[in-house]
Every structure is written in C-alpha cells, then in structure tokens.
Amino acid sequence: MVPAIRKQFNADFTNEKYQAFLKELHAAHPGAIQFRVAETAVFVPKAFTKKMLDACESIVDAITDPKFKEVTKNAIPKNLQVPGENDHSHFIAFDFGICINEAGAYEPQLIEMQGFPTLFAYEITLDDIFRKHFDVPANYSAYLGGHNKNSYIHHFKEIILGSHSPENVILLEIFPHEQKTRIDFYCTEDYTGVKPVCLTDLIREGKKLYYLNKGKKTEIKRIYNRVIFDDLFQQTPEVKEKGRILFEELDVEWIPHPAWFYRISKYTLPLIRHPYVPATFFLNEITELPADLENFVLKPLFSFAGQGVVIDVTKEDIEKVKDPENWILQRKVKYADVIETPDVPAKAEIRLFYFWKDGQTRPVPANNLSRLSKGKMIGVRYNKDKEWVGGSYCLFEQ
C-alpha cells in the first residue's frame, strides 16, 4: 500500500530469507502453526489507518450506547443463554477489506466484527521474528493506540488475569491441542502464564469449577473463553453433555462472556451507518429487494467462519430462506488487488484488535493481524498452491 516500501521489500526478498523466517517462527512451538504464513507484512499509510479507526470508533459509539444491550437482546439464541453476563466485551475484533471505491481510490470496508478473542498473543511473536529476518522502516509499528510491545503485553495480561493469579485463570477451548489456532494458546501461556484447558477436563463441584494443574486440583476463578458454540454442537454426545456445564450458574468470571460473541457480530452491522461500513439489512425487515441483488451478499446471523454465506445472490436464494429474521443482506465490496507480489497481486483483509479493560468507558485499539489472498474469497480453500498468501500482519506508519 506504500509503493516505495513495497518496491524495496520485494526487491530485497529472497526465498532463503523467507525459509529462515519460517524456521524460527515454527521453532517457537514446533508443529503448532497449522496455516500458511505469508511472505510479507502489509505496510499501511497513516491516512488509511485513520479511516479504519474512524469506522471502529463510530461502531464503538453504538456499542457503548446505554441502549445497546436492549437493542441486541434478540442476538443471543434462546438455547445459548449463559448466566453471569457482564457489562461489556473485553475484546472486539474488526475485519476490514482493502477495497476500491467508485472513484478508484483505496478505502477500508468493514466485513465483519466479533466480540470474541483472536490471535492476540501469536501476533507478538510474529512481529518479533519477522523483524529479525526482514527490514522494517523505523517509523512503522504493528501496535495501535500508542502501544509498544511491552505496554501491549502488560495491557493484555491485565485483562486476562484481572485480580487473579495465572493458575486460577484458564484459556478454555474444546480439545485445544487439536485446534488450528493452538499456536495462539501456547503464546498466550508464554506471555501470561495462563494454560489452555479442554472443556472435557473441567471439574464441577457445586458452583465452583476446577482443573488439574500439574496433577493438583486448582480452582478456576476466571475463564478466557475460546469456546465457539457452533463447534461445541458438532462434537460427540459425550462432549456436548460436558458442555452443559457452561449453561449453569457458576462462580467464575468470563473474559469475554459468551453473550458478546452474539451481541457484537453480524447482528450489529445493520445498526451501523458509516462510509466504511457496507449497507446491511436484516432480511425480514426488507420490504423490497434491491434491483441490483447481484451486488449483495446473503449471510446467516448464527454461523462461524463463513459457513452458509451466499456470494452470488439471486431472488431464488432469498425465497429459500425460511427464517429471514436470522439472515442479513450486505452490500458486496470490491477487494483491491493491492499487494504487489512476484506474480499476481494479492488482496488483503485487516483485523484490528480492540481491548476493553474493566473500569474503562470504551475499548481501545491495540494490535492487528492480516490475511492475504489471491482467490475469490479470503480463506485457505481459495488459496491452495498459491504463494504470497496466508496469515500475516500490518505495520502501520506512525
């Protein structure tokens, strides 16, 4: 996105550098990275960063509105009500596509958002190791909101631990050591001391939860939640039965509480009006379908990782929907072929991390990740056998 830096980076790039970078990155936790790591970071100019942050702050205004919980009361499926909801999500992730507008200029467009964690810890390690192998201009940083590496780790650790010791806080997931994102679980333990624990290993005694920490039964006082209920309901009956624990009254703190996965999600998009947020509508509230239906995307509200999304929408697709209150129609955006590579340019998506510490009135920007693609969509199945694609991160001009 910064032509001079891109030209220099590509000129200096060698496969030997890339392989050395990968070798050190994979050595941090051997076998834990289960996705392709891209050859390059995304260099983002100040003006573009400001546009993304302006959109985020506009959405934060809506989320911090006292009426937000009432407005989003139907966002949480009736069968997924978890006791103990708190006042706010501790984490928000905003996904932007780098797009081209009608004037031919680059601009961000919000694709999705989530009140749920993402690769907060892995990105620290990625930045550290990337800088060892590739030249990064002195005035470019991965961190946002005035953070540097040390202040970011401090802020992250404060939110994760709250007032508790690391042994009384767990990262909760379903079979964490089998998840594609497990590299982030191990990096989280590196930086905070909090261990990943499988849902099936929880021990319940009344309202209290415990786990075995090096063989010692240890009370869980705070849960860093990484369980996605869509994933839970695809498990065996035994695992699903164990998952019923989460819907009981428990003497634990949640970060974030599962309700925020639904409140801050695709459900929130129709509430936002901003130049960098594509027009989005609840399907059941549309009285007349757009004449240019081919320029919209049909998305189910309650799905994860792009499941059920209809890209090339037809009237027949709309008519097939039996529960329109659970679907949105979102204006399609045009991704830009913005990252010059040795063969064809790549598209890019940027995810901004916002952290919301207890006691603060608003969440604040902190870090990021990016994904590069040369396929029709961002995702592994669209980028098989391609290079200069996969997981990466942004370096922002300061």
Side-chain angles (χ1 to χ4, degrees), residues 15 34 38 69 80 132 153 159 162 189 191 196 245 271 281 296 350 370:
N15 190 54
Q34 293 295 300
K69 273 196 173 184
L80 300 180
K132 289 184 181 180
I153 292 173
I159 294 176
E189 185 173 0
Y191 297 117
I245 289 177
L271 310 178
F281 310 93
F296 285 79
I350 298 171
S370 71

Side-chain angles (χ1 to χ4, degrees), residues 17-249:
K17 281 185 183 179
Y18 176 56
Q19 294 303 324
F21 158 66
L22 287 181
K23 183 178 179 181
E24 184 171 353
L25 187 63
H26 282 277
H29 290 283
I33 299 177
Q34 293 295 300
F35 49 85
R36 191 180 193 281
V37 179
E39 285 82 342
T40 183
V42 179
F43 299 95
V44 183
K46 274 184 186 179
F48 196 89
T49 305
K50 184 178 185 302
K51 289 177 180 178
M52 290 190 291
L53 292 176
D54 282 350
C56 291
E57 293 302 321
S58 176
I59 298 164
V60 167
D61 286 344
I63 292 169
T64 55
D65 188 296
K67 298 176 183 175
F68 183 73
K69 273 196 173 184
E70 175 63 24
V71 171
T72 58
K73 65 183 179 182
N74 294 326
I76 309 162
K78 293 287 191 291
N79 63 323
L80 300 180
Q81 304 279 342
V82 175
E85 183 180 351
N86 54 2
D87 293 334
H88 61 80
S89 177
H90 294 83
F91 305 112
I92 308 174
F94 298 99
D95 288 351
F96 290 92
I98 302 177
C99 301
I100 294 180
N101 63 22
E102 292 178 356
Y106 294 138
E107 68 177 19
Q109 285 290 326
L110 186 79
I111 306 302
E112 286 190 355
M113 66 184 100
Q114 57 182 46
F116 194 75
T118 183
L119 306 183
F120 297 143
Y122 163 71
E123 295 301 324
I124 305 168
T125 301
L126 176 63
D127 181 47
D128 279 352
I129 296 174
F130 185 87
R131 288 173 174 274
K132 289 184 181 180
H133 296 272
F134 299 102
D135 290 332
V136 173
N139 62 327
Y140 279 74
S141 172
Y143 299 101
L144 295 163
H147 279 298
N148 56 33
K149 176 185 174 181
N150 290 337
S151 67
Y152 174 81
I153 292 173
H154 180 76
H155 194 181
F156 179 54
K157 193 172 180 178
E158 277 190 318
I159 294 176
I160 294 293
L161 297 180
S163 59
H164 306 291
S165 299
E167 61 266 24
N168 298 120
V169 182
I170 63 164
L171 185 159
L172 184 65
E173 178 57 290
I174 304 164
F175 306 121
H177 304 294
E178 298 175 16
Q179 295 288 339
K180 287 185 178 179
T181 52
R182 61 184 179 269
I183 180 62
D184 186 66
F185 307 161
Y186 304 150
C187 291
T188 297
E189 185 173 0
D190 291 342
Y191 297 117
T192 69
V194 170
K195 298 180 184 302
V197 174
C198 183
L199 172 69
T200 61
D201 292 330
L202 296 179
I203 302 165
R204 182 185 173 194
E205 295 181 5
K207 290 187 177 182
K208 292 192 178 296
L209 285 183
Y210 300 86
Y211 74 110
L212 294 179
N213 182 8
K214 297 179 180 178
K216 179 185 176 184
K217 191 171 79 171
T218 304
E219 185 179 353
I220 300 166
K221 297 182 179 179
R222 195 166 169 92
I223 295 174
Y224 178 31
N225 182 46
R226 304 296 288 261
V227 174
I228 294 169
F229 290 150
D230 277 9
D231 187 14
L232 173 60
F233 297 143
Q234 293 174 25
Q235 303 298 321
T236 63
E238 294 79 13
V239 175
K240 286 191 280 190
E241 180 61 29
K242 187 73 175 184
R244 290 170 62 89
I245 289 177
L246 305 182
F247 301 95
E248 303 294 336
E249 289 279 354

Side-chain angles (χ1 to χ4, degrees), residues 234-359:
Q234 293 174 25
Q235 303 298 321
T236 63
E238 294 79 13
V239 175
K240 286 191 280 190
E241 180 61 29
K242 187 73 175 184
R244 290 170 62 89
I245 289 177
L246 305 182
F247 301 95
E248 303 294 336
E249 289 279 354
L250 298 170
D251 188 14
V252 297
E253 299 168 0
W254 292 91
I255 44 163
H257 187 277
W260 293 102
F261 178 84
Y262 297 100
R263 291 189 187 278
I264 302 174
S265 63
K266 291 188 285 287
Y267 194 94
T268 315
L269 291 171
L271 310 178
I272 310 299
R273 292 291 177 263
H274 189 278
Y276 305 133
V277 179
T280 307
F281 310 93
F282 290 112
L283 191 58
N284 66 320
E285 294 181 0
I286 297 175
T287 54
E288 185 176 347
L289 289 176
D292 59 338
L293 196 55
E294 69 278 6
N295 292 323
F296 285 79
V297 179
L298 184 63
K299 295 181 177 181
L301 285 174
F302 305 114
S303 74
F304 186 69
Q307 296 177 48
V309 174
V310 181
I311 300 295
D312 299 311
V313 186
T314 65
K315 188 177 178 183
E316 288 71 29
D317 292 320
I318 303 292
E319 290 170 348
K320 287 178 189 173
V321 175
K322 305 300 182 188
D323 54 343
E325 70 280 5
N326 292 326
W327 292 74
I328 57 171
L329 198 63
Q330 183 181 44
R331 179 164 285 280
K332 199 181 284 185
V333 299
K334 183 181 179 182
Y335 282 75
D337 293 322
V338 67
I339 310 295
E340 293 294 335
T341 82
D343 48 22
V344 297
K347 305 172 181 68
E349 215 169 71
I350 298 171
R351 175 172 293 176
L352 301 186
F353 307 165
Y354 267 61
F355 287 0
W356 199 341
K357 187 179 171 184
D358 289 330

Side-chain angles (χ1 to χ4, degrees), residues 368-383:
N368 82 97
L369 63 78
S370 71
R371 294 184 293 174
L372 276 60
S373 172
K374 293 179 180 177
K376 187 175 181 180
M377 290 179 67
I378 305 285
V380 174
R381 65 182 178 273
Y382 299 99
N383 288 282

